Amino acid sequence: MSERVACVTGASRGIGREIAKQFAAGGIQVIVASNEEENNHKVVAEITEAGGRAVAQFLDLTQPDQIKDAFKQMIEAAGRIDILVNNAGITKDALAARMKKDAWDLVLQINLTGAFLCAQAVMPVMMKARWGRIVNIASVVGQMGNVGQANYVSSKAGIIGLTKALARELAARNITVNAVAPGFIETDMTKVLPEQVREAMLQQIPLKRMGQPADVAAAVRFLASDEAAYITGQVIGVNGGMYM
Ligand code: NAP
């Protein structure tokens, strides 16, 4: 894996940061991409201090042209991208009856359209190399639904559909496409939830704890490895048993 280059979107924080760190610890050269340059650089510094190889890349998933330019720059600089992790994602919760169209559009734009455009941008180099790994970060709520998250749930169910469609299209070129569907993971995204909601969520988790970014990163690392060569179009739940 040591010659491989991975781009992890939303790697400035949370799950993406941990995926980037685990890749780098395994010798993979990592591109830390998000729309928060200062945080990207902080993660790059952490990785390089630990002896890994990483570079930062500004990437704004709300801007299709910027996505194209960013991937052009990344591929020119690194010469390749072998692994893409579509991890960046946001929530903008509201009950469906009151959800503003702006909140719907933004979540779909970043979580689903953004992931599609990133995948599209790496396909030519992966096809040429006849090797590639795309890992999309979905969510348990994309599999089971959730109140107050019609936009987010739709984006994550969409990511699962996108994963299967791309898996079928790209298999002949030895590119696998899989999704990891995390449950309730301790990051900034879940920090904002009120204590009562957290308690209620914990009641639904057979393993009786929140997941850690490292739990998700381990599954991503496996799917991105040579060992996972015969796995494509799958959704791996990392949810403490919350959904079976
Ligand atoms: P997080 O801590 O909120 O981090 C989100 C990441 O996405 C940040 O790096 C953020 O960059 C990036 N991002 C947001 N908007 C962006 C944009 N317009 N362009 C580029 N990057 C953007 O979230 P997390 O909890 O680690 O979640 C990571 C993924 O796991 C998401 O897809 C999320 O839906 C999924 N997930 C999380 C949980 C959970 O319980 N935490 C559960 C299931 C699924 P900035 O630093 O620039 O804001």
Side-chain angles (χ1 to χ4, degrees), residues 10 12-13 15 35-36 59-61 87 152 156 183 185 187:
S12 60
R13 292 187 279 126
I15 294 170
N35 61 338
E36 193 56 66
L59 176 72
D60 183 357
L61 294 174
N87 163 80
Y152 182 75
K156 294 303 185 179
I185 311 297
T187 67

Side-chain angles (χ1 to χ4, degrees), residues 138 143 160 163-164 178-181 233-237:
Q143 299 171 298
I160 291 172
T163 300
K164 294 178 184 182
N178 291 289
V180 170
Q234 303 304 308
V235 183
I236 310 278

Side-chain angles (χ1 to χ4, degrees), residues 1 35 65-66 69 90-91 126 133 137 162 177 190 198 203 221 232 240:
M1 296 290 281
N35 61 338
D65 289 341
Q66 199 278 327
D69 291 346
I90 63 158
T91 53
M126 287 185 181
R133 297 279 187 268
I137 306 301
L162 175 67
V177 188
T190 48
R198 292 165 73 92
Q203 294 305 317
R221 194 161 37 89
T232 197

